[in-house]
Amino acid sequence: MFRDGLITKADYEFARQHGFLPNEEHADSNFSMDGACDRRIEVEKSPMFHHKITIPRIPSESSRSTYLNSGHAKLNELTRQLQSEKHNRRPDLSGDSLFAGVSGGEPVYYKSHSVDAAFLNKTYDLWPLAGTNYGLSGSNTVLGLFDHGCVHVNHEEFTNGCPRVFQVSYEISSNEWEHPTEMAGFMVASGVNTNARGMSYAAILHAYNFYDSPFYGYWFRDVVDMANASSSNEFQVSANPYGTLCGWTTFLYNGDLEWFWLGDMVISTYEDYKYGFYDSNTTRRIDEIVYNAKTYLPVFSTGDDRRINKSPPYQPITHAVRIGSVTGWISNIHAVYTNRIDCLSPQAVAKNVLTVGAALGNTNISQSVVWSNSSIGPTDDWRIKPDIVAHGVSVTSVFYNEGSPLKYSSTSGSSVSAAITAGSLNLLVELYQKLWGTNSRPLSSTLKALAIHTACDIYIPGPDILSGWGMLDTEAAAHMLLTDNESGISAHIKEFSLPNGGAINFMIQSTTNPLKLTMVWTDPPGPCQVPALNPTNLMLVNDLDLRVISSSGNTNYPFCLSTTNALITYHGDNIRDNVEQVMIPVPANDEYRVTINHKGVLSNGIQDVSLILSGNDPSVFSNDTEIVEYYRVDGSNLMRWVSNPGVYYQIQTKTNLMIAGWAPSEALVSSLSTTVLYNTGSDLTNELKFYRVVVDH
């Protein structure tokens, strides 16, 4: 299956009309459209690639040996030389402006601020500076960052007051890089320069450098560090602004910038199969980590492979390829991904992560548009990706380059959006712990569901392969947490443990507002598959089904992506995604029945599920504080009580009401409906016991 459909150019035209992109006839080939300034394309010339983790082979075995013998020291020296050259050519614009285009033959520069991103993604509304009731800054929280290279931890934005950024793995001063330092700034910069303040500007950041693997091939150190950090509950959110390099790229060979095609010539001489592919070495391992961790959510960037300079200016052109162990020069014609669908790296197609693309934000958030360079879906198995987008164009952050006096600079890309989103979601973690206790941790699926449910739709109603479920709206997500907490009965945010063969079933009452339900679950890792071009094998393991049924019997189905036209969605039985959303724009003033079932047999016998509801009347749910006492006689083992669906209950026992203290049972009971039946089990001692049921907070 070959997908060659072009997407709409509305977002591209918007960007051009508003001065973010140059007209083609004035575009300067010396400037990269990924980041829109020369410092981005110069990084592309280095063997260390922005937003990538695969290094291209060089064009001959003899040259390869010579190059390898030089080792990492020579690589670092080459990169520093390139970075020095790029700063010598950089115009003097106070260090925080960047090239946006050409007008009347003159270069035009734009300046934006990290604090602008906070406004446009509505993260600023959560800061104490906003004067709202949230008062969040990331205090007493820890974030994670995975990137190649080390953060310059001694930057003034990270040491103001006390050190807050720690290079946890493989700290080598010579490997302090621009990209991870920028990402750290978007997340936790303290605001010495107020324009560069990070989203969680008072948080601690643990940075992981996976630049320690073999020089060639995939770098898998990231998944090892992710697994270790998540198993120790080191943090709940991390930024992962990188991905496998796919399609076209450039590299230095004998002093010249040459083109390299990274596709597997055996699988396809035209397309790179890695785009949209669920890879066993990367995608599957990431899903496995998140599935096992339960409360850890990585935020991956989509990549920026739709940019104009991602491919040669013309074809055919002599370029390097690698077939098996042989590198050679050919002049085949390969796919160009500018304005194409299906250009996500394997990391970005993982089911259980939050995949974030770059957008041009607008003060009217619904008028935001996807940045023309940002990679889009769908995945090979036709899942909806990205999940959301966030402002990530021309944003000021901290900067570091050895020998450069610059402390701040501007950049663009999905890496920016991912780091900003991770820092913003961390504020939701802080709020969650303020509301429900410092030891409370939402499921990663709950955090993901919050971001998706409250995202602002910016294209067609429902999801799409450009913006996913919409534009990040941090304040709307925070408001949902507050509203749910104020209800006291988990009326809007619910977590279930669905057993094999079980079903979730309860009633809700609509209001005059649109009724929306978003279900997300952390799915077991998908099946292994051999590399192939656009395989449509389903990667979903546990197929859950959300339905909302009116009193008249009309069933409302979730959104699905059309497999014949990736730009179209419809309502039906979604058999591909572990995100399902039912939207009823104009509900009847009536009761609706919510059901969640599953097909087949659940892997591992149980599945945790997160459900977000809005537009429902919370008064129909029972009071969480109710305590039911039960006295067992005549060998009866069943307990029954009226419950609140989505709440976990603890069974407590005692044999004498005259003594203090209740003994808790080992397992919690997940309420799947408005009535719970619980079997206490047999008691060989035939001892009379008193039971009570309390809500587990």
PDB file of all heavy atoms in Angstrom, residues 117-151:
ATOM      1  N   ALA A 117       4.920  31.188  24.442  1.00  0.00           N
ATOM      2  CA  ALA A 117       4.419  29.821  24.329  1.00  0.00           C
ATOM      3  C   ALA A 117       3.535  29.482  25.520  1.00  0.00           C
ATOM      4  O   ALA A 117       2.523  28.785  25.385  1.00  0.00           O
ATOM      5  CB  ALA A 117       5.581  28.840  24.231  1.00  0.00           C
ATOM      6  N   ALA A 118       3.906  29.973  26.704  1.00  0.00           N
ATOM      7  CA  ALA A 118       3.085  29.747  27.892  1.00  0.00           C
ATOM      8  C   ALA A 118       1.716  30.403  27.740  1.00  0.00           C
ATOM      9  O   ALA A 118       0.695  29.847  28.170  1.00  0.00           O
ATOM     10  CB  ALA A 118       3.797  30.284  29.133  1.00  0.00           C
ATOM     11  N   PHE A 119       1.672  31.593  27.116  1.00  0.00           N
ATOM     12  CA  PHE A 119       0.392  32.249  26.850  1.00  0.00           C
ATOM     13  C   PHE A 119      -0.430  31.445  25.844  1.00  0.00           C
ATOM     14  O   PHE A 119      -1.608  31.168  26.051  1.00  0.00           O
ATOM     15  CB  PHE A 119       0.618  33.657  26.298  1.00  0.00           C
ATOM     16  CG  PHE A 119       0.835  34.697  27.352  1.00  0.00           C
ATOM     17  CD1 PHE A 119       2.048  35.340  27.470  1.00  0.00           C
ATOM     18  CD2 PHE A 119      -0.181  35.055  28.235  1.00  0.00           C
ATOM     19  CE1 PHE A 119       2.262  36.309  28.432  1.00  0.00           C
ATOM     20  CE2 PHE A 119       0.017  36.015  29.205  1.00  0.00           C
ATOM     21  CZ  PHE A 119       1.239  36.644  29.316  1.00  0.00           C
ATOM     22  N   LEU A 120       0.203  31.084  24.729  1.00  0.00           N
ATOM     23  CA  LEU A 120      -0.525  30.482  23.614  1.00  0.00           C
ATOM     24  C   LEU A 120      -0.999  29.068  23.922  1.00  0.00           C
ATOM     25  O   LEU A 120      -1.979  28.604  23.334  1.00  0.00           O
ATOM     26  CB  LEU A 120       0.349  30.493  22.363  1.00  0.00           C
ATOM     27  CG  LEU A 120       0.729  31.896  21.865  1.00  0.00           C
ATOM     28  CD1 LEU A 120       1.723  31.812  20.718  1.00  0.00           C
ATOM     29  CD2 LEU A 120      -0.514  32.676  21.438  1.00  0.00           C
ATOM     30  N   ASN A 121      -0.294  28.362  24.810  1.00  0.00           N
ATOM     31  CA  ASN A 121      -0.752  27.039  25.247  1.00  0.00           C
ATOM     32  C   ASN A 121      -1.524  27.106  26.557  1.00  0.00           C
ATOM     33  O   ASN A 121      -1.861  26.069  27.129  1.00  0.00           O
ATOM     34  CB  ASN A 121       0.448  26.099  25.415  1.00  0.00           C
ATOM     35  CG  ASN A 121       1.161  25.823  24.106  1.00  0.00           C
ATOM     36  OD1 ASN A 121       0.524  25.544  23.095  1.00  0.00           O
ATOM     37  ND2 ASN A 121       2.480  25.905  24.125  1.00  0.00           N
ATOM     38  N   LYS A 122      -1.750  28.325  27.055  1.00  0.00           N
ATOM     39  CA  LYS A 122      -2.504  28.594  28.284  1.00  0.00           C
ATOM     40  C   LYS A 122      -1.872  27.961  29.519  1.00  0.00           C
ATOM     41  O   LYS A 122      -2.563  27.566  30.457  1.00  0.00           O
ATOM     42  CB  LYS A 122      -3.959  28.160  28.129  1.00  0.00           C
ATOM     43  CG  LYS A 122      -4.724  28.979  27.084  1.00  0.00           C
ATOM     44  CD  LYS A 122      -6.210  28.767  27.191  1.00  0.00           C
ATOM     45  CE  LYS A 122      -6.953  29.701  26.241  1.00  0.00           C
ATOM     46  NZ  LYS A 122      -8.418  29.519  26.331  1.00  0.00           N
ATOM     47  N   THR A 123      -0.560  27.844  29.489  1.00  0.00           N
ATOM     48  CA  THR A 123       0.162  27.391  30.674  1.00  0.00           C
ATOM     49  C   THR A 123       0.378  28.545  31.644  1.00  0.00           C
ATOM     50  O   THR A 123       0.374  28.354  32.866  1.00  0.00           O
ATOM     51  CB  THR A 123       1.517  26.779  30.266  1.00  0.00           C
ATOM     52  OG1 THR A 123       1.295  25.726  29.322  1.00  0.00           O
ATOM     53  CG2 THR A 123       2.259  26.219  31.466  1.00  0.00           C
ATOM     54  N   TYR A 124       0.536  29.731  31.095  1.00  0.00           N
ATOM     55  CA  TYR A 124       0.752  30.927  31.917  1.00  0.00           C
ATOM     56  C   TYR A 124      -0.369  31.091  32.946  1.00  0.00           C
ATOM     57  O   TYR A 124      -0.126  31.558  34.069  1.00  0.00           O
ATOM     58  CB  TYR A 124       0.830  32.158  31.019  1.00  0.00           C
ATOM     59  CG  TYR A 124       1.025  33.464  31.749  1.00  0.00           C
ATOM     60  CD1 TYR A 124       2.307  33.938  32.040  1.00  0.00           C
ATOM     61  CD2 TYR A 124      -0.064  34.225  32.160  1.00  0.00           C
ATOM     62  CE1 TYR A 124       2.485  35.140  32.720  1.00  0.00           C
ATOM     63  CE2 TYR A 124       0.103  35.420  32.838  1.00  0.00           C
ATOM     64  CZ  TYR A 124       1.382  35.877  33.119  1.00  0.00           C
ATOM     65  OH  TYR A 124       1.547  37.056  33.792  1.00  0.00           O
ATOM     66  N   ASP A 125      -1.602  30.706  32.583  1.00  0.00           N
ATOM     67  CA  ASP A 125      -2.745  30.876  33.485  1.00  0.00           C
ATOM     68  C   ASP A 125      -2.596  30.096  34.777  1.00  0.00           C
ATOM     69  O   ASP A 125      -3.299  30.366  35.749  1.00  0.00           O
ATOM     70  CB  ASP A 125      -4.032  30.424  32.780  1.00  0.00           C
ATOM     71  CG  ASP A 125      -4.390  31.317  31.604  1.00  0.00           C
ATOM     72  OD1 ASP A 125      -3.797  32.396  31.482  1.00  0.00           O
ATOM     73  OD2 ASP A 125      -5.252  30.927  30.804  1.00  0.00           O
ATOM     74  N   LEU A 126      -1.680  29.131  34.809  1.00  0.00           N
ATOM     75  CA  LEU A 126      -1.479  28.331  36.013  1.00  0.00           C
ATOM     76  C   LEU A 126      -0.387  28.902  36.916  1.00  0.00           C
ATOM     77  O   LEU A 126      -0.241  28.463  38.055  1.00  0.00           O
ATOM     78  CB  LEU A 126      -1.115  26.889  35.639  1.00  0.00           C
ATOM     79  CG  LEU A 126      -2.267  25.926  35.323  1.00  0.00           C
ATOM     80  CD1 LEU A 126      -3.111  26.413  34.160  1.00  0.00           C
ATOM     81  CD2 LEU A 126      -1.728  24.534  35.013  1.00  0.00           C
ATOM     82  N   TRP A 127       0.395  29.851  36.402  1.00  0.00           N
ATOM     83  CA  TRP A 127       1.491  30.422  37.181  1.00  0.00           C
ATOM     84  C   TRP A 127       0.968  31.410  38.227  1.00  0.00           C
ATOM     85  O   TRP A 127      -0.085  32.044  38.030  1.00  0.00           O
ATOM     86  CB  TRP A 127       2.466  31.156  36.263  1.00  0.00           C
ATOM     87  CG  TRP A 127       3.249  30.270  35.348  1.00  0.00           C
ATOM     88  CD1 TRP A 127       3.308  28.912  35.357  1.00  0.00           C
ATOM     89  CD2 TRP A 127       4.073  30.707  34.268  1.00  0.00           C
ATOM     90  NE1 TRP A 127       4.137  28.461  34.363  1.00  0.00           N
ATOM     91  CE2 TRP A 127       4.620  29.545  33.668  1.00  0.00           C
ATOM     92  CE3 TRP A 127       4.412  31.954  33.750  1.00  0.00           C
ATOM     93  CZ2 TRP A 127       5.483  29.604  32.590  1.00  0.00           C
ATOM     94  CZ3 TRP A 127       5.272  32.016  32.669  1.00  0.00           C
ATOM     95  CH2 TRP A 127       5.803  30.855  32.091  1.00  0.00           C
ATOM     96  N   PRO A 128       1.701  31.610  39.321  1.00  0.00           N
ATOM     97  CA  PRO A 128       1.319  32.642  40.284  1.00  0.00           C
ATOM     98  C   PRO A 128       1.237  34.023  39.653  1.00  0.00           C
ATOM     99  O   PRO A 128       0.421  34.855  40.065  1.00  0.00           O
ATOM    100  CB  PRO A 128       2.447  32.573  41.332  1.00  0.00           C
ATOM    101  CG  PRO A 128       2.967  31.178  41.231  1.00  0.00           C
ATOM    102  CD  PRO A 128       2.852  30.809  39.780  1.00  0.00           C
ATOM    103  N   LEU A 129       2.059  34.281  38.623  1.00  0.00           N
ATOM    104  CA  LEU A 129       2.055  35.580  37.950  1.00  0.00           C
ATOM    105  C   LEU A 129       0.702  35.919  37.347  1.00  0.00           C
ATOM    106  O   LEU A 129       0.358  37.091  37.178  1.00  0.00           O
ATOM    107  CB  LEU A 129       3.112  35.599  36.840  1.00  0.00           C
ATOM    108  CG  LEU A 129       4.580  35.501  37.266  1.00  0.00           C
ATOM    109  CD1 LEU A 129       5.469  35.271  36.053  1.00  0.00           C
ATOM    110  CD2 LEU A 129       4.997  36.767  37.993  1.00  0.00           C
ATOM    111  N   ALA A 130      -0.080  34.899  37.020  1.00  0.00           N
ATOM    112  CA  ALA A 130      -1.370  35.125  36.363  1.00  0.00           C
ATOM    113  C   ALA A 130      -2.434  35.605  37.333  1.00  0.00           C
ATOM    114  O   ALA A 130      -3.480  36.109  36.905  1.00  0.00           O
ATOM    115  CB  ALA A 130      -1.833  33.838  35.680  1.00  0.00           C
ATOM    116  N   GLY A 131      -2.198  35.463  38.627  1.00  0.00           N
ATOM    117  CA  GLY A 131      -3.168  35.910  39.613  1.00  0.00           C
ATOM    118  C   GLY A 131      -4.394  35.026  39.712  1.00  0.00           C
ATOM    119  O   GLY A 131      -5.427  35.443  40.229  1.00  0.00           O
ATOM    120  N   THR A 132      -4.298  33.768  39.212  1.00  0.00           N
ATOM    121  CA  THR A 132      -5.409  32.835  39.318  1.00  0.00           C
ATOM    122  C   THR A 132      -5.284  32.035  40.611  1.00  0.00           C
ATOM    123  O   THR A 132      -4.372  32.251  41.408  1.00  0.00           O
ATOM    124  CB  THR A 132      -5.412  31.865  38.115  1.00  0.00           C
ATOM    125  OG1 THR A 132      -4.179  31.133  38.106  1.00  0.00           O
ATOM    126  CG2 THR A 132      -5.545  32.634  36.809  1.00  0.00           C
ATOM    127  N   ASN A 133      -6.182  31.095  40.796  1.00  0.00           N
ATOM    128  CA  ASN A 133      -6.175  30.291  42.018  1.00  0.00           C
ATOM    129  C   ASN A 133      -5.256  29.081  41.939  1.00  0.00           C
ATOM    130  O   ASN A 133      -5.163  28.328  42.896  1.00  0.00           O
ATOM    131  CB  ASN A 133      -7.602  29.816  42.341  1.00  0.00           C
ATOM    132  CG  ASN A 133      -8.521  30.967  42.709  1.00  0.00           C
ATOM    133  OD1 ASN A 133      -8.083  31.949  43.301  1.00  0.00           O
ATOM    134  ND2 ASN A 133      -9.788  30.842  42.340  1.00  0.00           N
ATOM    135  N   TYR A 134      -4.596  28.906  40.807  1.00  0.00           N
ATOM    136  CA  TYR A 134      -3.770  27.708  40.650  1.00  0.00           C
ATOM    137  C   TYR A 134      -2.435  27.843  41.388  1.00  0.00           C
ATOM    138  O   TYR A 134      -2.071  27.002  42.198  1.00  0.00           O
ATOM    139  CB  TYR A 134      -3.519  27.438  39.170  1.00  0.00           C
ATOM    140  CG  TYR A 134      -4.766  27.116  38.381  1.00  0.00           C
ATOM    141  CD1 TYR A 134      -5.300  28.029  37.477  1.00  0.00           C
ATOM    142  CD2 TYR A 134      -5.412  25.899  38.543  1.00  0.00           C
ATOM    143  CE1 TYR A 134      -6.448  27.736  36.752  1.00  0.00           C
ATOM    144  CE2 TYR A 134      -6.555  25.591  37.829  1.00  0.00           C
ATOM    145  CZ  TYR A 134      -7.072  26.522  36.933  1.00  0.00           C
ATOM    146  OH  TYR A 134      -8.204  26.233  36.219  1.00  0.00           O
ATOM    147  N   GLY A 135      -1.671  28.889  41.078  1.00  0.00           N
ATOM    148  CA  GLY A 135      -0.404  29.128  41.759  1.00  0.00           C
ATOM    149  C   GLY A 135       0.609  28.022  41.581  1.00  0.00           C
ATOM    150  O   GLY A 135       1.265  27.595  42.541  1.00  0.00           O
ATOM    151  N   LEU A 136       0.790  27.534  40.347  1.00  0.00           N
ATOM    152  CA  LEU A 136       1.659  26.394  40.086  1.00  0.00           C
ATOM    153  C   LEU A 136       2.951  26.842  39.413  1.00  0.00           C
ATOM    154  O   LEU A 136       2.948  27.715  38.550  1.00  0.00           O
ATOM    155  CB  LEU A 136       0.945  25.378  39.197  1.00  0.00           C
ATOM    156  CG  LEU A 136      -0.399  24.858  39.713  1.00  0.00           C
ATOM    157  CD1 LEU A 136      -1.076  23.992  38.671  1.00  0.00           C
ATOM    158  CD2 LEU A 136      -0.217  24.090  41.020  1.00  0.00           C
ATOM    159  N   SER A 137       4.055  26.206  39.792  1.00  0.00           N
ATOM    160  CA  SER A 137       5.356  26.549  39.209  1.00  0.00           C
ATOM    161  C   SER A 137       6.230  25.318  38.982  1.00  0.00           C
ATOM    162  O   SER A 137       7.343  25.436  38.486  1.00  0.00           O
ATOM    163  CB  SER A 137       6.100  27.520  40.129  1.00  0.00           C
ATOM    164  OG  SER A 137       6.331  26.919  41.397  1.00  0.00           O
ATOM    165  N   GLY A 138       5.723  24.135  39.370  1.00  0.00           N
ATOM    166  CA  GLY A 138       6.532  22.927  39.309  1.00  0.00           C
ATOM    167  C   GLY A 138       7.284  22.640  40.592  1.00  0.00           C
ATOM    168  O   GLY A 138       8.087  21.701  40.644  1.00  0.00           O
ATOM    169  N   SER A 139       7.040  23.430  41.607  1.00  0.00           N
ATOM    170  CA  SER A 139       7.744  23.252  42.876  1.00  0.00           C
ATOM    171  C   SER A 139       7.501  21.856  43.436  1.00  0.00           C
ATOM    172  O   SER A 139       6.392  21.324  43.378  1.00  0.00           O
ATOM    173  CB  SER A 139       7.255  24.306  43.874  1.00  0.00           C
ATOM    174  OG  SER A 139       7.878  24.145  45.126  1.00  0.00           O
ATOM    175  N   ASN A 140       8.569  21.249  43.961  1.00  0.00           N
ATOM    176  CA  ASN A 140       8.524  19.921  44.569  1.00  0.00           C
ATOM    177  C   ASN A 140       8.153  18.817  43.575  1.00  0.00           C
ATOM    178  O   ASN A 140       7.599  17.792  43.961  1.00  0.00           O
ATOM    179  CB  ASN A 140       7.540  19.898  45.747  1.00  0.00           C
ATOM    180  CG  ASN A 140       7.946  20.842  46.859  1.00  0.00           C
ATOM    181  OD1 ASN A 140       9.117  20.919  47.221  1.00  0.00           O
ATOM    182  ND2 ASN A 140       6.985  21.593  47.384  1.00  0.00           N
ATOM    183  N   THR A 141       8.469  19.046  42.311  1.00  0.00           N
ATOM    184  CA  THR A 141       8.255  18.006  41.306  1.00  0.00           C
ATOM    185  C   THR A 141       9.564  17.759  40.554  1.00  0.00           C
ATOM    186  O   THR A 141      10.472  18.590  40.573  1.00  0.00           O
ATOM    187  CB  THR A 141       7.168  18.398  40.289  1.00  0.00           C
ATOM    188  OG1 THR A 141       7.597  19.552  39.553  1.00  0.00           O
ATOM    189  CG2 THR A 141       5.857  18.698  40.983  1.00  0.00           C
ATOM    190  N   VAL A 142       9.635  16.612  39.886  1.00  0.00           N
ATOM    191  CA  VAL A 142      10.812  16.242  39.103  1.00  0.00           C
ATOM    192  C   VAL A 142      10.366  15.891  37.688  1.00  0.00           C
ATOM    193  O   VAL A 142       9.392  15.152  37.497  1.00  0.00           O
ATOM    194  CB  VAL A 142      11.562  15.053  39.719  1.00  0.00           C
ATOM    195  CG1 VAL A 142      12.777  14.672  38.868  1.00  0.00           C
ATOM    196  CG2 VAL A 142      11.998  15.370  41.146  1.00  0.00           C
ATOM    197  N   LEU A 143      11.052  16.417  36.709  1.00  0.00           N
ATOM    198  CA  LEU A 143      10.826  16.119  35.302  1.00  0.00           C
ATOM    199  C   LEU A 143      11.990  15.321  34.744  1.00  0.00           C
ATOM    200  O   LEU A 143      13.101  15.362  35.288  1.00  0.00           O
ATOM    201  CB  LEU A 143      10.676  17.413  34.498  1.00  0.00           C
ATOM    202  CG  LEU A 143       9.278  18.028  34.385  1.00  0.00           C
ATOM    203  CD1 LEU A 143       9.381  19.495  33.986  1.00  0.00           C
ATOM    204  CD2 LEU A 143       8.433  17.256  33.373  1.00  0.00           C
ATOM    205  N   GLY A 144      11.755  14.622  33.645  1.00  0.00           N
ATOM    206  CA  GLY A 144      12.820  13.897  32.965  1.00  0.00           C
ATOM    207  C   GLY A 144      13.050  14.441  31.568  1.00  0.00           C
ATOM    208  O   GLY A 144      12.133  14.962  30.933  1.00  0.00           O
ATOM    209  N   LEU A 145      14.281  14.347  31.088  1.00  0.00           N
ATOM    210  CA  LEU A 145      14.636  14.735  29.723  1.00  0.00           C
ATOM    211  C   LEU A 145      15.578  13.682  29.158  1.00  0.00           C
ATOM    212  O   LEU A 145      16.608  13.368  29.765  1.00  0.00           O
ATOM    213  CB  LEU A 145      15.318  16.105  29.692  1.00  0.00           C
ATOM    214  CG  LEU A 145      15.933  16.528  28.348  1.00  0.00           C
ATOM    215  CD1 LEU A 145      14.862  16.678  27.274  1.00  0.00           C
ATOM    216  CD2 LEU A 145      16.731  17.828  28.500  1.00  0.00           C
ATOM    217  N   PHE A 146      15.226  13.134  28.007  1.00  0.00           N
ATOM    218  CA  PHE A 146      16.082  12.180  27.302  1.00  0.00           C
ATOM    219  C   PHE A 146      16.474  12.795  25.966  1.00  0.00           C
ATOM    220  O   PHE A 146      15.617  13.184  25.170  1.00  0.00           O
ATOM    221  CB  PHE A 146      15.342  10.853  27.086  1.00  0.00           C
ATOM    222  CG  PHE A 146      14.997  10.142  28.361  1.00  0.00           C
ATOM    223  CD1 PHE A 146      13.812  10.414  29.021  1.00  0.00           C
ATOM    224  CD2 PHE A 146      15.867   9.210  28.910  1.00  0.00           C
ATOM    225  CE1 PHE A 146      13.500   9.770  30.205  1.00  0.00           C
ATOM    226  CE2 PHE A 146      15.562   8.563  30.090  1.00  0.00           C
ATOM    227  CZ  PHE A 146      14.371   8.848  30.745  1.00  0.00           C
ATOM    228  N   ASP A 147      17.782  12.896  25.748  1.00  0.00           N
ATOM    229  CA  ASP A 147      18.268  13.531  24.523  1.00  0.00           C
ATOM    230  C   ASP A 147      19.701  13.067  24.296  1.00  0.00           C
ATOM    231  O   ASP A 147      20.337  12.522  25.204  1.00  0.00           O
ATOM    232  CB  ASP A 147      18.211  15.050  24.655  1.00  0.00           C
ATOM    233  CG  ASP A 147      18.037  15.746  23.312  1.00  0.00           C
ATOM    234  OD1 ASP A 147      18.266  15.096  22.273  1.00  0.00           O
ATOM    235  OD2 ASP A 147      17.685  16.940  23.299  1.00  0.00           O
ATOM    236  N   HIS A 148      20.208  13.280  23.083  1.00  0.00           N
ATOM    237  CA  HIS A 148      21.621  12.971  22.861  1.00  0.00           C
ATOM    238  C   HIS A 148      22.444  14.197  23.221  1.00  0.00           C
ATOM    239  O   HIS A 148      22.132  15.312  22.834  1.00  0.00           O
ATOM    240  CB  HIS A 148      21.869  12.522  21.420  1.00  0.00           C
ATOM    241  CG  HIS A 148      21.608  13.560  20.379  1.00  0.00           C
ATOM    242  ND1 HIS A 148      20.411  13.652  19.704  1.00  0.00           N
ATOM    243  CD2 HIS A 148      22.389  14.554  19.896  1.00  0.00           C
ATOM    244  CE1 HIS A 148      20.469  14.649  18.845  1.00  0.00           C
ATOM    245  NE2 HIS A 148      21.654  15.215  18.946  1.00  0.00           N
ATOM    246  N   GLY A 149      23.473  13.978  24.007  1.00  0.00           N
ATOM    247  CA  GLY A 149      24.277  15.079  24.510  1.00  0.00           C
ATOM    248  C   GLY A 149      23.834  15.505  25.891  1.00  0.00           C
ATOM    249  O   GLY A 149      22.775  15.117  26.390  1.00  0.00           O
ATOM    250  N   CYS A 150      24.665  16.311  26.525  1.00  0.00           N
ATOM    251  CA  CYS A 150      24.420  16.755  27.896  1.00  0.00           C
ATOM    252  C   CYS A 150      23.895  18.178  27.928  1.00  0.00           C
ATOM    253  O   CYS A 150      24.176  18.992  27.048  1.00  0.00           O
ATOM    254  CB  CYS A 150      25.712  16.681  28.712  1.00  0.00           C
ATOM    255  SG  CYS A 150      26.382  15.020  28.894  1.00  0.00           S
ATOM    256  N   VAL A 151      23.163  18.466  28.981  1.00  0.00           N
ATOM    257  CA  VAL A 151      22.699  19.824  29.246  1.00  0.00           C
ATOM    258  C   VAL A 151      23.839  20.627  29.864  1.00  0.00           C
ATOM    259  O   VAL A 151      24.609  20.110  30.685  1.00  0.00           O
ATOM    260  CB  VAL A 151      21.491  19.808  30.201  1.00  0.00           C
ATOM    261  CG1 VAL A 151      21.056  21.230  30.562  1.00  0.00           C
ATOM    262  CG2 VAL A 151      20.329  19.037  29.580  1.00  0.00           C
TER     263      VAL A 151
END
